[in-house]
Amino acid sequence: MRIRYAALLAAVFMLFLFSGAASAQENSAPNPIGDLPWQVGPTIGKIGTRATVDVPEGYAFLDVDGTRRLNQLLENPPDGNDTYTLAPHDLSWIGFFSFREMGYVKDDEKVNADDVLESVREGTEHGNEERRQRGWETMRILGWSFKPQYDDQLKALEWAILAETETSKNKIVNYNTRVLGRRGVMEVILVADPETLQPAIADFKRLMPGYSFAAGEKYSEFRAGDHVAEVGLAALITGGAAVVASKKGWLAAAGAVLVKMWKLLLIGLFGAAAAVRGLFKRKQKDTTVR
C-alpha cells in the first residue's frame, strides 16, 4: 500500500474549516490519536531513567508504549530504541525523544556540511531499497534547511535537512537535535510542516530549558574510565554510528538508520488535534471539580 504524506499545517487548517463537525465528534467518535495515553501538562515527562522534560500546560507527553502506537498510526518504522513524544495540544509539531547509548562523544570535530550532506544522500539512496520493499514512497534529499550547528554551552548539535517524496513530491523536513550526555546521546527529532518549521522550532526551543539529564548522566560528569564513542559529531547526522556496531558495509548500515531517523506524518489525521484538545478540556474539568 502506498503511503500518502501531507503537511500537518494543512491538516490543522482542515480541522478549523470543519471545527463544528469535529467538535461534535470529540466526545462521541473514537479517535486513535486522542485515545493514546497522553500525559497532559503541567507534568514531568520521564524519558526512561536518562532524563526528564517539563511538560507545561498546553502540551502533552507520551511514554514508550504510547509513542510506539503513535508511530504505527503514522506508519513510521520502529528504530529499535525506546522513544517518547512531546507535543502541543494543537499538534502543530511533534517531538520524539530517544536515548542512544554509544558512549561519550567527543565534541572537538569540525563538521563539513557539504561532505555530510553528500553522505546523507548516499545513505538515503541505499535506504530507498528498504522503502521499496515496504511499498513506501522513496525519498530524495534536496539540501539543508538548517546547516549543522553545535552549541558548546548546551552540548547540543542541531540541523535540519529538506527532502521530498519522489512520486507525490511532498516536502518533508525534520529538525534534529542531539544532546550529548555522559554515556551517549539524546536524539530529538522535531516534525513540522516545512512552511511552519521556524515557529515550531522557536516553540520547541522555549521548552528545552525544561529538559535535563538525570544526575550522573550529564556530559560534564564524564569520568576517567568511562566508555568513549568511536565516532564524532558528523556521524550523529549521517548514521555512521551504526557502522561501528554493524558488520554490514557503510551504505547498508547508514541507509537502514536513515530510513528510521525520518519521522513522517500521514494525511487523514485532521481530527487528531480535536481529540487531543478534547483531552485537555476534560483534564481542565477534572481539575476544576476537584
Side-chain angles (χ1 to χ4, degrees):
M1 180 180 66
R2 187 176 298 278
I3 297 178
R4 299 175 297 163
Y5 304 105
L8 187 58
L9 178 65
V12 176
F13 178 67
M14 289 177 67
L15 168 66
F16 282 105
L17 280 178
F18 299 101
S19 58
S23 296
Q25 295 174 356
E26 273 183 28
N27 296 320
S28 58
N31 187 293
I33 300 293
D35 289 341
L36 295 175
W38 294 98
Q39 300 171 35
V40 177
T43 187
I44 301 294
K46 294 183 179 180
I47 306 172
T49 60
R50 302 291 185 175
T52 60
V53 61
D54 290 339
V55 184
E57 185 176 352
Y59 296 79
F61 182 83
L62 282 176
D63 62 11
V64 172
D65 290 337
T67 299
R68 186 178 296 113
R69 289 161 57 191
L70 175 64
N71 276 320
Q72 289 172 349
L73 291 168
L74 300 180
E75 300 189 14
N76 286 323
D79 60 9
N81 289 336
D82 287 345
T83 305
Y84 302 77
T85 303
L86 175 67
H89 67 84
D90 62 359
L91 298 184
S92 55
W93 56 263
I94 300 176
F96 297 94
F97 291 74
S98 62
F99 184 80
R100 188 174 296 276
E101 187 167 1
M102 63 177 67
Y104 179 88
V105 177
K106 292 184 178 180
D107 62 352
D108 54 358
E109 179 186 19
K110 293 286 186 180
V111 177
N112 185 308
D114 292 336
D115 289 347
V116 166
L117 189 63
E118 184 57 33
S119 294
V120 171
R121 279 200 173 100
E122 291 180 32
T124 300
E125 286 300 318
H126 198 87
N128 278 337
E129 295 178 11
E130 181 175 343
R131 290 186 175 278
R132 292 186 188 97
Q133 292 173 3
R134 290 174 177 261
W136 297 354
E137 282 204 73
T138 54
M139 292 173 54
R140 184 169 69 94
I141 301 300
L142 300 180
W144 293 112
S145 179
F146 184 92
K147 287 188 176 183
Q149 181 174 309
Y150 182 69
D151 189 315
D152 187 57
Q153 287 190 328
L154 297 178
K155 301 300 179 185
L157 177 68
E158 57 181 339
W159 76 92
I161 296 175
L162 180 64
E164 72 174 1
T165 52
E166 292 189 304
T167 301
S168 61
K169 303 300 180 184
N170 284 315
K171 298 295 189 294
I172 307 162
V173 63
N174 288 178
Y175 168 76
N176 288 265
T177 304
R178 300 293 182 268
V179 187
L180 307 187
R182 177 182 177 183
R183 297 181 175 87
V185 177
M186 184 63 70
E187 300 181 345
V188 188
I189 302 175
L190 176 69
V191 185
D193 180 83
E195 295 185 4
T196 60
L197 180 64
Q198 291 308 316
I201 292 175
D203 189 29
F204 173 74
K205 284 189 171 183
R206 187 177 62 83
L207 302 182
M208 281 308 289
Y211 168 87
S212 178
F213 275 113
E217 297 288 340
K218 297 180 177 64
Y219 194 76
S220 60
E221 295 176 300
F222 174 82
R223 298 291 180 267
D226 285 351
H227 175 62
V228 177
E230 299 178 50
V231 298
L233 296 176
L236 302 182
I237 306 173
T238 63
V243 179
V244 175
S246 175
K247 295 180 181 179
K248 301 177 182 179
W250 179 87
L251 279 176
V257 171
L258 289 171
V259 165
K260 297 170 183 177
M261 281 175 60
W262 284 97
K263 300 295 183 184
L264 308 170
L265 295 162
L266 282 174
I267 194 169
L269 294 175
F270 61 86
V276 175
R277 189 167 63 242
L279 182 67
F280 279 78
K281 290 179 180 177
R282 292 194 295 274
K283 174 65 178 283
Q284 291 171 350
K285 287 180 181 177
D286 291 343
T287 302
T288 302
V289 170
R290 293 192 188 106

